[in-house]
Amino acid sequence: MKTLLVGVIGHVDHGKTALVRALTGVETDRLTEERARGVSIVPGFALLRTTHGGEPAEIDLVDLPGHERFVRAMISGATGMRAVLLAVDAREGIKPQTVEHLEIARLIGVRAGVVALTKCDRVAPERIGGRTAEVRAAAARAGLADVAVVPTSALSGTGIDALAAALARLLDEAPQLADDGYPYLPVDRAFPRPGFGAVVTGTLRRGRLAVGDPVEVTPGGLVASVRSLQIHGRSVSQVEPGRRAAVALRGVGIGDLRRGQALSAPGMLAMGRWIDVVLTAVTSAERPLQGGTDCRLLFGTAEASARLRLLDRDALEPGATCLAQLRADADIAVPAREPFILRLASPPVTVAGGRVLDPLSRRRRRSDPRVSEHLTAVAAGHPTDTLETRLAASGAAGERLIDLARLVGIAPDRVRRRLGEIGAREIGERFLGAPTLAALREAVLAALAGHHRDHPMEHGVAQERLVRVLGLSEPVGGAVLRELVGTRAVVQAGPLYRRADFDPAGNETEIVRALESVYRRAGLNPPDEAVAVGRDIRRREALTYLIGAGTLIRAADRVQKRTILFHQDAVAAAKARLAAAFPAAATPETGFLAREAGAALDISRKFSIPLLEHLDAVGFTRRAGDRRMIVGRSSTGSTKEVPA
């Protein structure tokens, strides 16, 4: 069923409440004080049943206070409306609150509406045409172009049917609310009800709300669940965005609830003091709005003190729009893209309004072109564009999913799908944009190329060293390296990474060949590393190359805390000799001792212990107490070892 929330606006005593009563039969002035004084003090609500395309449709009418003393109450009901019904007394015409209400509607983005000329039974027919032209021009200045103007009389019933028909046409003209995947309902009333417990009412601004859903009360941070739902007194299982609803809650007491709070999906609203906004000044202002002005910030049903900070100018001319920041005096929680109004405390007038761009911002540098470009893109773009802009700004640091969801005001599961569509990738707990990942791949390849150029004898770079040089986190650096290995742009050899187009064998020198010959001839009695290298940097590079190639194998004696380098051929020969010397060494009982292995290989303990520990590490032998078993006979003929 198609629905629409329409705010009934206009100057005090221009017949808004009588008009709603004539349309719906509902008396929206429910407070005793309202009835005694004959003016609306708080928003009132009524349901207009109509049809759309031959199907039933419903229009929620919000009767908003018209007196200047209750404009703040009017705004709390207005920020959820998608269209307006403007009531103008045919006798008095445009008045101060008429202009202010139209300004508020324009500032929060309302572009659809109907004008009702009220009390037409009290003016001469020839005056109707003049009033019609007057109110149509005022509506056009507020962005309501080609608005229908319907002469009415709530007393005689004149024009009421025509007005209802004009409101029904708004079902097509007003933009439909998008389902952002999570609910947001500012609370305008909280009260206990026998049999239901704590109940709150409000307009569901976005998302759907269903019985059983978990909700968080913000501010407060309390998590509750929806016990039951009602729309205009009838029980429902689900509420669509844009509807007035009464929500009975389970898990919280009435003492925890108050006007100004909001219900939302757990975790979607976070508290903060800085918000980025796109701001428009009222056209009727007598002077520019100065940066640094202390204002009253009104959003949802909440109100807070805030200071205005203009980012690209010192003052905002009447009717102009700019990027700005607001710093609240206390923590607030507001979703992205939510409309708001700014008023002065004294004199109490509306000065500006707009839309939230980033609900969890920080103090930004004024006149910084990067800030301006970023916020301009957010203000003008689709949520997907906003995600791309934020990921580009975050670079290799990335962004958490919940922070991106809060930034665009869309549920995390839907944001995740959008991120997949733009090629973003989740690494650890953060998402990185596709351009950033492409740049990181190029940076890694360039860093490897530089290392190969400067150290041609080395087989590659360890991941820890590479990410440190590039200033990356281990998860990001590791993910980029794995991707490059997967695409065969990079080769991994043990703990080292090198470019696929780099062949370390092509850099062998006479020094490498001479050093390799020394260790091959030495067999199982190799020289100490320090003796073989001395102070010759070239010999050190050659040794590093031979170890990286697997030609030399580093074996460790953990007890003596020393290492020995064996040629791979010597290790292979040692395996064959041990297998021949101890053919039955398959169990602990038939295994051999370290001294027996040393005797069989004719080497001292200095060499036998690290050699045996290496053979344990590669799975050729297994130690059981003081004895070792041979468990890898099939590898005795191997001539190539993976460096330990």
Side-chain angles (χ1 to χ4, degrees):
M1 180 171 61
K2 206 157 189 180
T3 64
L4 180 65
L5 182 72
V6 176
V8 186
I9 63 175
H11 195 74
V12 63
D13 202 29
H14 273 207
K16 297 185 299 297
T17 301
L19 203 61
V20 172
R21 188 190 312 118
L23 285 164
T24 67
V26 174
E27 176 59 64
T28 55
D29 282 349
R30 65 181 186 277
L31 302 180
T32 302
E33 185 180 358
E34 290 178 315
R35 294 176 180 176
R37 297 171 61 177
V39 297
S40 298
I41 297 175
V42 298
F45 308 96
L47 177 63
L48 174 62
R49 290 184 171 87
T50 184
T51 60
H52 177 267
E55 298 293 330
E58 293 183 347
I59 296 176
D60 291 312
L61 296 176
V62 186
D63 182 8
L64 300 170
H67 197 286
E68 62 179 347
R69 292 174 55 190
F70 308 124
V71 170
R72 289 186 298 177
M74 175 266 174
I75 292 170
S76 72
T79 51
M81 64 189 183
R82 287 183 287 146
V84 295
L85 168 55
L86 173 65
V88 179
D89 190 324
R91 299 170 303 171
E92 297 186 356
I94 303 297
K95 301 293 283 185
Q97 260 54 64
T98 312
V99 175
E100 185 169 19
H101 284 201
L102 282 171
E103 284 273 25
I104 290 169
R106 181 180 70 89
L107 293 173
I108 62 178
V110 175
R111 297 294 181 266
V114 174
V115 177
L117 275 181
T118 61
K119 308 180 184 180
C120 287
D121 56 333
R122 301 185 184 182
V123 299
E126 57 270 16
R127 294 184 59 188
I128 300 298
R131 285 290 186 228
T132 297
E134 176 189 350
V135 298
R136 183 170 281 128
R141 288 193 294 272
L144 302 176
D146 300 323
V147 68
V149 180
V150 183
T152 66
S153 169
L155 187 62
S156 67
T158 301
I160 298 302
D161 289 343
L163 181 61
L167 288 170
R169 288 193 291 274
L170 292 179
L171 289 163
D172 286 325
E173 297 175 15
Q176 295 298 303
L177 289 177
D179 180 6
D180 294 326
Y182 76 97
Y184 172 62
L185 185 146
V187 174
D188 53 40
R189 281 199 304 157
F191 53 90
R193 185 175 177 184
F196 291 88
V199 177
V200 298
T201 63
T203 300
L204 187 61
R205 303 293 179 84
R206 58 181 72 187
R208 290 177 171 82
L209 192 61
V211 174
D213 282 352
V215 291
E216 185 174 2
V217 181
T218 307
L222 299 174
V223 176
S225 62
V226 178
R227 181 175 183 176
S228 63
L229 294 165
Q230 287 190 353
I231 296 178
H232 294 288
R234 71 175 187 271
S235 295
V236 295
S237 61
Q238 180 175 277
V239 178
E240 302 295 317
R243 298 307 306 269
R244 287 284 309 169
V247 186
L249 297 172
R250 180 183 288 111
V252 293
I254 189 61
D256 300 319
L257 304 170
R258 65 183 184 277
R259 175 185 172 85
Q261 292 176 318
L263 304 184
S264 184
M268 278 303 296
L269 291 184
M271 306 294 290
R273 296 202 176 187
W274 285 97
I275 60 174
D276 297 332
V277 300
V278 56
L279 185 73
T280 300
V282 299
T283 56
S284 57
E286 296 180 356
R287 60 183 64 88
L289 178 60
Q290 299 293 322
T293 300
D294 290 322
C295 303
R296 299 299 296 172
L297 167 64
L298 288 81
F299 62 93
T301 55
E303 182 176 349
S305 297
R307 173 161 290 190
L308 173 64
R309 188 166 182 264
L310 303 177
L311 292 176
D312 61 353
R313 64 195 73 192
D314 295 324
L316 185 62
E317 297 295 326
T321 299
C322 74
L323 300 170
Q325 289 192 291
L326 293 168
R327 186 189 185 279
D329 288 352
D331 285 350
I332 59 174
V334 55
R337 297 182 285 114
E338 186 68 10
F340 67 89
I341 294 294
L342 292 183
R343 286 174 60 82
L344 298 181
S346 180
V349 295
T350 300
V351 293
R355 182 165 50 92
V356 176
L357 299 180
D358 187 342
L360 293 169
S361 187
R362 63 189 186 282
R363 182 183 176 89
R364 297 189 183 275
R365 184 179 302 174
R366 290 191 66 204
S367 302
D368 186 337
R370 293 172 299 178
V371 171
S372 178
E373 290 173 8
H374 170 68
L375 293 181
T376 298
V378 172
H382 186 271
T384 300
D385 300 326
T386 300
L387 293 173
E388 290 183 314
T389 300
R390 173 55 66 89
L391 290 176
S394 300
E399 291 284 347
R400 297 190 308 159
L401 179 62
I402 186 62
D403 293 331
L404 292 173
R406 290 167 177 163
L407 174 66
V408 296
I410 297 175
D413 59 332
R414 301 188 180 198
V415 172
R416 185 186 295 277
R417 288 198 296 270
R418 290 175 184 247
L419 291 169
E421 293 169 358
I422 61 175
R425 182 177 172 190
E426 188 173 14
I427 299 175
E429 296 182 349
R430 293 181 174 268
F431 278 87
L432 275 67
T436 295
L437 289 168
L440 289 178
R441 289 192 291 269
E442 292 301 319
V444 168
L445 290 173
L448 288 174
H451 183 85
H452 298 330
R453 181 187 62 249
D454 298 338
H455 306 280
M457 297 302 298
E458 294 187 11
H459 283 256
V461 188
Q463 175 179 317
E464 296 78 7
R465 179 179 178 184
L466 191 61
V467 298
R468 185 172 63 252
V469 169
L470 294 174
L472 302 177
S473 67
E474 285 289 339
V476 171
V480 174
L481 279 170
R482 287 191 296 273
E483 183 177 336
L484 289 170
V485 170
T487 61
R488 299 185 179 180
V490 167
V491 173
Q492 181 181 7
L496 301 179
Y497 294 86
R498 68 173 186 266
R499 288 180 62 117
D501 56 8
F502 173 70
D503 180 11
N507 297 311
E508 287 189 8
T509 63
E510 187 60 35
I511 294 177
V512 170
R513 289 188 285 273
L515 193 60
E516 188 266 342
S517 179
V518 167
Y519 276 92
R520 186 179 348 100
R521 290 196 306 271
L524 294 176
N525 292 275
D528 288 343
E529 188 174 327
V531 173
V533 171
R535 297 183 179 181
D536 191 327
I537 295 177
R538 293 176 300 170
R539 291 179 71 85
R540 167 60 61 186
E541 291 178 345
L543 191 72
T544 300
Y545 167 82
L546 290 169
I547 295 171
T551 304
L552 297 185
I553 296 169
R554 178 172 277 138
D557 182 342
R558 288 174 295 178
V559 175
Q560 297 297 325
K561 294 183 174 56
R562 65 187 175 194
T563 61
I564 300 294
L565 290 175
F566 293 103
H567 195 283
Q568 62 179 1
D569 292 349
V571 173
K575 289 179 178 181
R577 290 170 65 181
L578 288 173
F582 307 104
T587 65
E589 292 74 19
T590 60
F592 56 88
L593 298 170
R595 59 180 174 78
E596 294 174 334
L601 298 173
D602 194 24
I603 56 176
S604 68
R605 186 177 180 84
K606 172 183 176 181
F607 300 109
S608 64
I609 295 301
L611 175 63
L612 288 171
E613 291 199 13
H614 168 72
L615 296 179
D616 292 341
V618 299
F620 178 76
T621 56
R622 183 167 69 239
R623 184 173 179 178
D626 291 336
R627 294 185 173 274
R628 282 180 169 82
M629 302 169 286
I630 297 177
V631 294
R633 293 179 184 275
S634 61
S635 63
T636 58
S638 171
T639 59
K640 190 77 171 178
E641 296 262 3
V642 177

